[in-house]
Amino acid sequence: QVLVVESGGGLVQAGGSLRLSCVVSGSIFSINVMDWYRQAPGKQRELVAKITSGGSTNYADSVKGRFTISRDNVKNTVYLQMNNLKPEDTAVYYCRAVVRRFSSDYEGQYWGQGTQVTVSS
């Protein structure tokens, strides 16, 4: 079993900062990509940022220069540092991890339950 747990969401004023964390635990052989998605009310879930096991990163255009994704491979944890937050960043943020379990030759994707980020104007 693989468990993905996010934390760090909350309410912040525009221009403020938040740091999200996501810990992956369980029967893990390796973790490939780790990324953050978000879903605002009435909108589709969208990719915010992704990071490979080697540290390569990609960002949505809307967050470039404001958000930074990083990971600690020893702790199986991915972070999302969010600066200069805007009201349009308000959403539920989800962590996803592509994991190979000890019991499998294949990778699977695992999602967290989400953490709410609300940015007031």
Side-chain angles (χ1 to χ4, degrees), residues 18-39:
L18 283 174
R19 187 192 196 208
L20 306 184
S21 299
C22 169
V23 179
V24 183
S25 61
S27 180
I28 300 167
F29 177 78
S30 63
I31 302 177
N32 191 347
V33 173
M34 302 179 83
D35 37 37
W36 289 94
Y37 285 74
R38 68 186 180 187
Q39 188 166 19

Side-chain angles (χ1 to χ4, degrees), residues 23-102:
V23 179
V24 183
S25 61
S27 180
I28 300 167
F29 177 78
S30 63
I31 302 177
N32 191 347
V33 173
M34 302 179 83
D35 37 37
W36 289 94
Y37 285 74
R38 68 186 180 187
Q39 188 166 19
K43 295 187 177 181
Q44 289 189 333
R45 190 173 296 188
E46 63 173 356
L47 177 66
V48 176
K50 66 188 302 181
I51 184 167
T52 68
S53 56
S56 297
T57 58
N58 287 97
Y59 297 91
D61 288 342
S62 58
V63 307
K64 282 181 181 177
R66 300 187 298 121
F67 291 11
T68 302
I69 189 170
S70 61
R71 65 190 281 175
D72 184 329
N73 291 329
V74 173
K75 295 181 179 179
N76 290 339
T77 301
V78 63
Y79 305 96
L80 186 67
Q81 178 67 43
M82 305 184 293
N83 297 328
N84 190 22
L85 282 160
K86 303 176 180 180
E88 51 264 42
D89 295 317
T90 295
V92 178
Y93 284 70
Y94 297 91
C95 174
R96 185 188 74 121
V98 178
V99 176
R100 181 181 169 189
R101 298 170 58 186
F102 280 109

